[in-house]
């Protein structure tokens, strides 16, 4: 809900949606957004719904942009292809931003053993994330730019990695 709150407070966004597989997380987001206190006009811009990015859902369509912030690492690797097909192939937003932990950076966290969260199915290296995002971009007609988020370590990169996908004009992949 924290990111959604920022989007909702930005008048330039005419429609903001949040999706999660967890009903509890959606309830928390609704409380954080104070949906019950919003004006009717502002509340009409916001939609929260329960769904999974591995299944086609018509509610995913029609957006200029999608943000998968710290999402992909919670998906079982055999299901990533379904996520790609749903987000990039069916919903086809003009831009997609994907962030995920940089697994290489974990050695800098004192006391961390394993991954950063018990629900993470994997944490990619920078090379693995670049390979995945380049493949997705080529498959679905997007250009992709790779960036880091957070303090840069000269050897290990940044704690979070980001791919910014931009749909190529005329692309019907």
């Amino acid at each position: 809900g924290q990111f959604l709150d920022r989007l909702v407070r930005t008048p330039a966004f005419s429609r903001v949606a949040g999706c999660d597989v967890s009903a509890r997380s959606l309830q928390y987001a609704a409380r954080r957004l104070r949906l019950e206190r919003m004006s009717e006009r502002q509340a009409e811009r916001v939609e929260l719904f329960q769904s999974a990015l591995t299944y086609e859902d018509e509610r995913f369509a029609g957006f200029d942009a999608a943000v998968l912030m710290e999402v992909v690492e919670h998906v079982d690797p055999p299901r990533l292809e379904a996520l790609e097909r749903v987000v990039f192939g069916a919903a086809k937003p003009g831009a997609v931003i994907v962030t995920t932990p940089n697994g290489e950076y974990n050695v800098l966290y004192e006391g961390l053993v394993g991954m950063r969260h018990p629900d993470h199915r994997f944490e990619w290296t920078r090379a693995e994330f670049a390979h995945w995002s380049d493949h997705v971009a080529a498959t679905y007609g997007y250009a992709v730019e790779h960036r880091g988020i957070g303090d840069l370590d000269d050897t290990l990169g940044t704690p979070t990695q980001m791919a910014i996908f931009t749909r190529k004009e005329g692309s019907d992949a």
Side-chain angles (χ1 to χ4, degrees), residues 76-103:
D76 288 320
R79 299 293 296 148
L80 282 173
E81 214 173 285
L83 178 141
E84 297 162 16
R85 197 170 41 257
V86 168
V87 174
F88 296 92
K92 298 181 183 181
V96 180
I97 298 172
V98 177
T99 67
T100 190
N102 169 9

Side-chain angles (χ1 to χ4, degrees), residues 10-108:
T10 306
F13 298 115
S14 60
R15 188 170 153 227
V16 177
C19 167
D20 204 297
V21 296
S22 164
R24 187 172 167 206
S25 292
L26 291 168
Q27 290 169 344
Y28 181 77
R31 279 195 308 272
R32 180 180 197 97
L33 292 170
R34 296 180 183 93
L35 285 178
E36 75 286 348
R37 293 183 180 170
M38 283 184 183
S39 69
E40 185 177 327
R41 188 169 147 240
Q42 191 174 23
E44 287 175 352
R45 297 173 47 231
V46 181
E47 180 182 5
L48 300 177
F49 61 93
Q50 187 175 13
S51 192
L53 291 174
T54 52
Y55 297 97
E56 285 192 36
D57 187 323
E58 63 187 25
R59 295 173 292 182
F60 294 142
F63 288 93
D64 294 331
V67 177
L68 280 67
M69 185 167 44
E70 308 299 311
V71 169
V72 295
E73 65 275 8
H74 294 272
V75 177
D76 288 320
R79 299 293 296 148
L80 282 173
E81 214 173 285
L83 178 141
E84 297 162 16
R85 197 170 41 257
V86 168
V87 174
F88 296 92
K92 298 181 183 181
V96 180
I97 298 172
V98 177
T99 67
T100 190
N102 169 9
E104 296 166 88
Y105 198 90
N106 289 353
V107 298
L108 297 177

